[in-house]
């Protein structure tokens, strides 16, 4: 399963359908507004032909059950209250330890990468999980274009900060200091599994899922996969990350999915795969690295109990 | 005119409405991707609300002279027990799938669950001893026992506080209400003691 997943893009060429342009395998019958250049690019994304044993989480659940605290605290708040976000036009600032830096338009960024469909498991630190067909591109393929210097050890990400577009950023009871920030080691960022997503289920990312550009790191807890990114910075030192700042004993920098290390307030040994029925809860064992064993080599010399 | 009976029926219907609503929404699958969590959270919130209502009766009677409320205080308390049991059962069945070994390990390992458990035990004890017969049999001890409701509410608030993740809102709101409801009792007790020359006794 893991190998076939990594081969997802290569396998497309062998696929039975002899169309000139590949199409994503999973396209929702949903109306997500996106500029025509993006819609066209999404429609041309190469399909993920890897056969994941896991059943996909239905589109309606993927887009109505979200943790996106910039729009509210409840799971249904982001779907209800994210109309204020304007994902187009969108600029991303590239900064830090790289030869090429500056502000880049999303359309320009996407013109230099190939979009692919990737079906990934998403494991939330709250012990629920989903299976989502993303559309995006390998983060590494983008980062290389800026020629990071030898001092680039980490990559830091920042979400938009704008209380007009993200109303809950003005809420006085929030535990999070805005803007939301996240980070990866350079090796994690360059790993072929690490994705920058612009769509899901064949359509542009809905606002509540992190439009127009979000990170997807499938072997880490969901909070690492930062949404609505406006800045990517190459750094020498480990960058601060939002949940780690507010509760360092509960959320580490690495945040790799690990059934052996419990969150202090709940067990991480199992997860409820959504949608989960009431009288037969869909409880499954959580896998190390969320089942993506190919990343284990990144942590050969890391004590994952200490660096949780 | 049996207005007390009418009020009882109306209050009971109002207190049952949340339960009816969540049951209906669950059966008709309107609770989204994770109905289990929604139900556990909802019944937990209504346990706290019911406790707030129960402990508001005495202040309302004293300050607003709403004496008609007094006969219904026991029923409000029993609704707190009802929602607490719904909360516990839905956690055990819908979240844990009745895995008892996991229930026990969660009970021991998670401080917020460890704090919530005695609150439910208290509510059960108060429910069982809420009858007229029990009141008579326990005499003075009945009142002592039933003061544990303050402990139950405080533990309920701790249970919420220790789960704070992205927002302090609920914890602060519940904390303020809890402090008001418990604080007024302290004030009454202190006043009474002063009046009676340090004899500790309080009724409400």
């Amino acid at each position: 399963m893991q190998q076939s997943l990594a081969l997802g893009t290569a396998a497309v060429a062998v696929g039975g359908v002899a169309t000139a342009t590949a199409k994503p395998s999973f396209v929702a019958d949903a109306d997500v507004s996106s500029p025509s250049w993006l819609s066209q690019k999404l429609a041309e994304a190469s399909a993920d032909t890897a056969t994941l044993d896991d059943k996909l989480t239905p589109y309606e659940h993927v887009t109505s059950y979200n943790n996106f605290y910039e729009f509210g605290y409840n799971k249904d708040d982001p779907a209800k209250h994210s109309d204020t976000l304007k994902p187009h036009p969108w600029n991303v600032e590239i900064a830090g330890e790289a030869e090429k830096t500056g502000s880049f338009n999303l359309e320009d960024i996407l013109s230099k990468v190939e979009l692919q469909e990737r079906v990934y498991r998403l494991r939330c630190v709250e012990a629920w999980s989903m299976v989502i067909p993303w559309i995006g591109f390998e983060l590494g393929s983008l980062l290389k274009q800026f020629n990071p210097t030898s001092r680039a050890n980490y990559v830091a990400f920042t979400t938009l900060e704008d209380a007009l577009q993200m109303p809950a950023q003005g809420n006085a009871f929030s535990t999070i200091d805005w803007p939301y920030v996240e980070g990866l080691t350079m090796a994690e960022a360059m790993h072929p599994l690490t994705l920058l997503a612009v769509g899901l289920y064949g359509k542009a990312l809905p606002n509540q899922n992190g439009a127009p550009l979000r990170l997807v790191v499938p072997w880490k807890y969901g909070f690492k996969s930062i949404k609505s990114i406006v800045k990517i910075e190459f750094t020498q030192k480990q960058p601060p990350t939002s949940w780690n700042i507010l509760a360092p004993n509960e959320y580490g920098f690495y945040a790799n999915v690990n059934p052996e290390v419990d969150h202090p307030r709940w067990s991480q040994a199992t997860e409820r795969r959504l949608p989960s029925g009431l009288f037969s809860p869909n409880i499954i064992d959580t896998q190390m690295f969320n089942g993506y064993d190919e990343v284990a080599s990144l942590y050969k010399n890391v004590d994952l109990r200490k660096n949780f | 005119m049996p207005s007390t009976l009418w009020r009882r029926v109306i209050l009971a219907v109002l207190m049952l409405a949340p339960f009816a609503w969540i049951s209906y929404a669950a059966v008709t699958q309107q609770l989204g991707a994770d109905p289990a969590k929604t139900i556990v959270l909802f019944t937990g919130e209504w346990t706290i609300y019911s406790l707030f209502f129960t402990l508001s009766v005495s202040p309302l009677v004293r300050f607003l002279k709403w004496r008609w409320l007094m006969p219904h205080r026991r029923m409000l308390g029993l609704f707190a027990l009802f929602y607490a049991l719904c909360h516990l059962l839905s956690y055990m069945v819908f979240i844990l799938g009745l895995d008892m070994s996991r229930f026990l390990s969660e009970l021991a390992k998670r401080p917020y669950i460890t704090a919530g458990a005695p609150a439910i035990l208290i509510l059960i004890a108060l429910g069982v001893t809420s009858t007229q017969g029990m009141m008579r049999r326990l005499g003075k001890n009945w009142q002592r026992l039933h003061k544990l409701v303050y402990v139950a509410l405080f533990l309920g608030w701790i249970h919420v506080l220790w789960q704070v993740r992205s927002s302090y809102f609920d914890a602060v709101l519940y904390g303020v209400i809890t402090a008001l409801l418990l604080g007024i009792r302290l004030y009454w007790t202190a006043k009474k003691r002063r009046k009676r020359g340090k004899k500790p006794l309080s009724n409400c």
Side-chain angles (χ1 to χ4, degrees):
Chain A
M1 185 166 76
Q2 300 330 316
Q3 286 92 330
S4 58
L5 208 134
L7 287 174
T9 47
V12 164
V14 207
V17 192
T19 45
T21 49
K23 295 255 163 72
S25 307
F26 307 103
V27 181
D29 185 17
D31 196 19
V32 184
S33 77
S34 60
S36 57
W37 62 265
L38 180 56
S39 306
Q40 195 188 336
K41 204 141 166 84
L42 288 162
E44 289 165 1
S46 59
D48 187 349
T49 55
T51 42
L52 207 62
D53 292 336
D54 309 60
K55 216 173 111 202
L56 292 187
T57 304
Y59 180 82
E60 76 213 64
H61 293 323
V62 173
T63 56
S64 66
Y65 191 83
N66 310 99
N67 281 333
F68 198 171
Y69 298 108
E70 283 84 341
F71 298 109
Y73 306 119
N74 297 317
K75 298 280 189 284
D76 54 354
D77 281 338
K80 284 184 197 158
H81 305 303
S82 58
D83 288 345
T84 41
L85 178 68
K86 297 280 164 270
H88 299 285
W90 192 267
N91 289 312
V92 180
E93 186 193 343
I94 307 289
E97 304 289 347
E99 286 170 20
K100 225 166 105 188
T101 56
S103 185
F104 298 86
N105 182 276
L106 183 65
E107 190 173 355
D108 293 339
I109 290 174
L110 290 190
S111 69
K112 297 186 187 94
V113 293
E114 292 295 317
L115 290 189
Q116 332 167 359
E117 180 184 49
R118 295 268 182 106
V119 180
Y120 281 162
R121 288 178 289 273
L122 173 90
R123 170 61 157 81
C124 178
V125 73
E126 296 166 342
W128 53 265
S129 62
M130 292 184 177
V131 182
I132 302 169
W134 300 106
I135 296 195
F137 53 93
E138 290 179 10
L139 172 64
S141 70
L142 176 72
L143 296 187
K144 270 185 257 169
Q145 297 174 19
F146 305 106
N147 300 332
T149 69
S150 60
R151 305 207 303 172
N153 298 324
Y154 295 88
V155 185
F157 304 86
T158 309
T159 295
L160 175 71
E161 182 180 20
D162 178 354
L164 290 177
Q165 293 191 62
M166 298 181 151
Q169 284 180 341
N171 191 304
F173 293 98
S174 171
T175 57
I176 303 171
D177 253 341
W178 311 111
Y180 193 84
V181 288
E182 260 305 337
L184 297 171
T185 67
M186 199 64 189
E188 291 171 336
M190 299 304 290
H191 195 280
L193 277 176
T194 305
L195 208 66
L196 273 180
V198 293
L200 60 84
Y201 268 103
K203 298 290 164 77
L205 280 178
N207 287 355
Q208 63 267 33
N209 292 87
L213 184 74
R214 67 167 290 168
L215 189 65
V216 182
V217 194
W219 73 92
K220 292 178 179 287
Y221 292 120
F223 68 85
K224 294 294 291 183
S225 293
I226 183 171
K227 303 181 177 95
S228 305
I229 298 168
V230 292
K231 187 178 176 187
I232 299 177
E233 182 177 7
F234 299 94
T235 65
Q236 197 175 357
K237 288 192 188 138
Q238 182 177 303
T241 58
S242 285
W243 282 99
N244 181 248
I245 293 169
L246 77 91
N249 59 327
E250 299 188 10
Y251 311 95
F253 173 80
Y254 287 93
N256 293 319
V257 175
N258 187 345
E260 313 272 299
V261 179
D262 277 358
H263 182 280
R265 289 189 261 172
W266 54 81
S267 165
Q268 297 291 29
T270 60
E271 65 201 56
R272 287 174 314 115
R273 177 62 55 81
L274 303 183
S276 177
L278 278 182
F279 289 99
S280 51
N282 196 5
I283 300 170
I284 56 176
D285 286 339
T286 290
Q287 307 173 70
M288 188 66 207
F289 300 120
N290 205 18
Y292 299 95
D293 302 327
E294 58 264 55
V295 300
S297 59
L298 295 178
Y299 308 102
K300 270 187 304 215
N301 304 315
V302 180
D303 180 351
L304 292 172
R305 235 164 224 295
K306 268 188 207 146
N307 299 286
F308 54 84
Chain B
M1 181 180 120
S3 60
T4 302
L5 182 65
W6 273 115
R7 284 179 177 135
R8 169 147 305 170
V9 171
I10 290 168
L11 272 178
V13 168
L14 286 176
M15 290 304 291
L16 270 174
F19 177 78
W21 181 84
I22 196 85
S23 305
Y24 171 77
V27 169
T28 53
Q29 309 210 325
Q30 293 177 51
L31 296 179
D34 198 2
K37 211 181 236 175
T38 307
I39 291 173
V40 172
L41 193 66
F42 184 86
T43 50
E45 284 171 345
W46 273 93
T47 307
I48 299 219
Y49 301 158
S50 304
L51 279 174
F52 286 162
F53 297 155
T54 311
L55 291 178
S56 300
V57 170
S58 288
L60 289 172
V61 168
R62 277 179 82 145
F63 294 127
L64 300 181
K65 311 286 177 228
W66 287 8
R67 291 191 185 84
W68 57 270
L69 257 179
M70 210 55 188
H72 308 296
R73 188 169 65 168
R74 169 168 52 193
M75 184 181 72
L76 291 173
L78 287 171
F79 271 110
L81 171 62
F82 170 72
Y83 280 109
L85 291 177
C86 289
H87 181 60
L88 175 67
L89 279 175
S90 50
Y91 170 68
M92 289 172 69
V93 177
F94 302 149
I95 300 275
L96 299 180
L98 274 178
D99 181 341
M100 286 314 285
S101 67
R102 250 201 86 195
F103 175 67
L104 293 176
S105 82
E106 293 294 286
L107 199 60
K109 271 201 227 166
R110 317 291 162 209
Y112 73 96
I113 297 181
T114 318
I120 292 188
L121 287 178
I122 288 173
L123 292 183
I124 292 173
L126 301 194
V128 169
T129 58
S130 65
T131 61
Q132 296 284 352
M134 274 296 193
M135 247 174 129
R136 238 176 293 126
R137 234 175 293 165
L138 289 171
K140 262 197 173 166
N141 288 329
W142 188 88
Q143 222 160 60
R144 281 189 204 142
L145 178 68
H146 278 248
K147 281 200 178 125
L148 284 177
V149 70
Y150 306 136
V151 179
L153 178 59
F154 181 74
L155 287 173
W157 176 65
I158 294 285
H159 178 70
V160 172
L161 181 71
W162 285 353
Q163 287 179 80
V164 165
R165 288 191 69 226
S166 54
S167 166
Y168 291 113
F169 184 78
D170 286 351
V172 169
L173 180 69
Y174 297 172
V176 168
I177 298 173
T178 301
L180 280 175
L181 290 174
L182 300 190
I184 197 141
R185 265 77 182 184
L186 286 177
Y187 170 72
W188 285 340
T189 309
K191 216 166 96 173
K192 216 176 247 176
R193 271 193 202 179
R194 227 177 300 137
K195 262 189 191 166
R196 296 190 179 178
K198 280 182 192 167
K199 244 192 186 168
L201 198 88
S202 151
N203 198 13
C204 300

